[in-house]
């Protein structure tokens, strides 16, 4: 029997899994709650409040503090993803039709969790609306690019840098909708989604092999997740932390009434 176009098209296949993963319980990160939890041991209440209302960069939070919080989140999410992957490998061959699709969705769900946490630390705006069933095209596009960076796609690296540059210059508190859905970035999003669809198919096959033997499959599957998830999360961290958005800034209004950003200078600086 012929396969449907949605099944054949890697771009559509990845987009479908992304949509499912984004709706899994616990995948969406509350930006305010996360920033407060991640920064509370390192920053004053005033700095945390400004980081939430504006961005960590606007609050003047040092990059080394953000990096420490990012590493803590990466370690937590890696341990959680590996444990869930190992648990999915316990049933063995009999339950493969149920466990493999669920594990793939869960894996990408954990990718989305760490992508959001890193984005919020490194001064990206809230990625999701309050509607749990809503996933707009701009959010879908930037999440696709983040995962592309995690997979080492150079075009995704460049596109994320361009999006960050747009937001930095405009002091924007939301994603550039037009660029991500019909502008210069959109063709790159589609290309990256197609690449990720192919990679996702390869991962599904690897999961099938690793889970074929009960218990042993759990060890192999958990180890495979640990070996892939950790370096991919660190790759995204390195890229996001290097972008212009992370540079401490403050907002000013020029004579024409346009809000711009200028470098943040601590009060004690000469």
């Amino acid at each position: 029997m012929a396969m449907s176009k949605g099944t054949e098209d890697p771009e559509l296949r990845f987009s479908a899994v992304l949509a499912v993963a984004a709706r899994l319980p616990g995948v969406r990160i509350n930006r305010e709650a996360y920033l407060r939890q991640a920064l509370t041991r390192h920053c004053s209440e005033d700095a945390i409040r400004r980081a939430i209302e504006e961005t960590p960069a606007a609050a003047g939070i040092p990059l080394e503090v953000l990096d420490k919080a990012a590493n803590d989140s990466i370690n937590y999410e890696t341990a959680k993803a590996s444990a869930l992957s190992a648990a999915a490998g316990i049933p063995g061959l009999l339950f493969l039709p149920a466990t493999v699709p669920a594990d793939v969705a869960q894996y990408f769900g954990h990718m989305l969790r760490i992508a959001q946490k890193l984005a919020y630390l490194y001064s990206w705006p809230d990625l999701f609306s309050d509607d749990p069933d809503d996933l707009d095209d701009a959010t879908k596009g930037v999440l696709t690019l983040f995962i592309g960076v995690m997979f080492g796609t150079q075009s995704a690296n460049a596109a994320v840098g361009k999006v960050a540059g747009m937001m930095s210059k405009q002091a924007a508190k939301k994603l550039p909708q037009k660029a991500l859905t019909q502008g210069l970035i959109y063709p790159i999003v589609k290309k990256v989604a197609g690449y990720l669809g192919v990679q996702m198919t390869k991962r599904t096959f690897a999961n099938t092999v690793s889970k074929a033997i009960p218990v042993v499959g759990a060890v192999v599957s958990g180890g495979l997740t640990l070996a892939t998830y950790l370096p991919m999360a660190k790759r995204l961290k390195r890229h996001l932390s290097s972008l212009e958005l992370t540079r401490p800034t403050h907002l000013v209004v020029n004579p024409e009434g346009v809000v711009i950003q200028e470098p943040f200078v601590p009060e004690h600086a000469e």
Side-chain angles (χ1 to χ4, degrees):
M1 184 173 65
M3 298 175 67
S4 68
K5 178 175 175 56
T7 304
E8 292 176 338
D9 191 327
E11 178 192 339
L12 295 179
R13 190 185 311 129
F14 171 76
S15 295
V17 170
L18 179 64
V20 170
R23 290 178 173 86
L24 289 175
V27 165
R28 299 193 181 195
I29 302 297
N30 181 291
R31 178 179 176 274
E32 178 178 347
Y34 170 67
L35 285 177
R36 183 167 297 281
Q37 176 270 322
L39 300 175
T40 190
R41 291 184 298 169
H42 310 287
C43 305
S44 67
E45 177 58 30
D46 185 62
I48 294 173
R49 177 189 54 76
R50 190 175 178 191
I52 292 169
E53 293 178 355
E54 300 178 45
T55 66
I61 297 175
L63 192 58
E64 56 266 27
V65 170
L66 300 177
D67 286 343
K68 173 65 168 62
N71 287 333
D72 290 344
S73 291
I74 288 173
N75 291 336
Y76 173 81
E77 293 295 336
T78 300
K80 192 172 180 181
S82 300
L84 288 174
S85 182
I90 291 175
L93 191 61
L94 180 62
F95 295 97
L96 279 178
T99 58
V100 172
D103 187 36
V104 171
Q106 192 74 48
Y107 186 81
F108 277 95
H110 276 283
M111 281 188 157
L112 296 184
R113 280 180 58 87
I114 194 59
Q116 290 170 83
K117 288 184 175 183
L118 295 176
Y120 298 153
L121 284 172
Y122 295 120
S123 294
W124 287 71
D126 211 334
L127 300 179
F128 288 103
S129 70
D130 293 332
D131 184 354
D133 294 321
D134 179 52
L135 180 63
D136 65 47
D137 290 338
T139 294
K140 191 183 300 182
V142 82
L143 290 175
T144 297
L145 294 177
F146 284 165
I147 295 176
V149 171
M150 296 175 82
F151 273 84
T153 311
Q154 290 303 313
S155 57
N157 280 6
V160 168
K162 289 179 181 178
V163 173
M166 292 176 188
M167 292 192 298
S168 180
K169 290 177 181 178
Q170 299 171 8
K173 290 190 175 182
K174 65 179 183 177
L175 297 173
Q177 299 276 331
K178 186 174 181 180
L180 285 163
T181 58
Q182 52 184 293
L184 295 174
I185 308 298
Y186 182 61
I188 304 176
V189 172
K190 290 175 66 66
K191 179 181 178 182
V192 171
Y195 169 80
L196 293 174
V198 173
Q199 297 304 308
M200 187 179 66
T201 300
K202 293 179 180 178
R203 173 169 174 80
T204 301
F205 176 76
N207 274 346
T208 302
V209 173
S210 71
K211 289 180 170 62
I213 304 173
V215 182
V216 175
V219 175
V220 174
S221 180
L224 180 63
T225 297
L226 177 63
T228 57
Y229 186 93
L230 181 61
M232 287 196 292
K234 288 185 174 180
R235 188 178 291 132
L236 180 60
K237 172 192 170 247
R238 284 194 301 270
H239 189 57
L240 293 183
S241 67
S242 71
L243 300 176
E244 189 176 352
L245 277 179
T246 65
R247 298 173 188 170
T249 58
H250 69 280
L251 305 183
V252 298
V253 180
N254 68 12
E256 287 75 33
V258 178
V259 177
I260 59 176
Q261 290 185 322
E262 289 187 350
F264 175 88
V265 180
E267 294 181 359
H268 58 74
E270 294 184 0

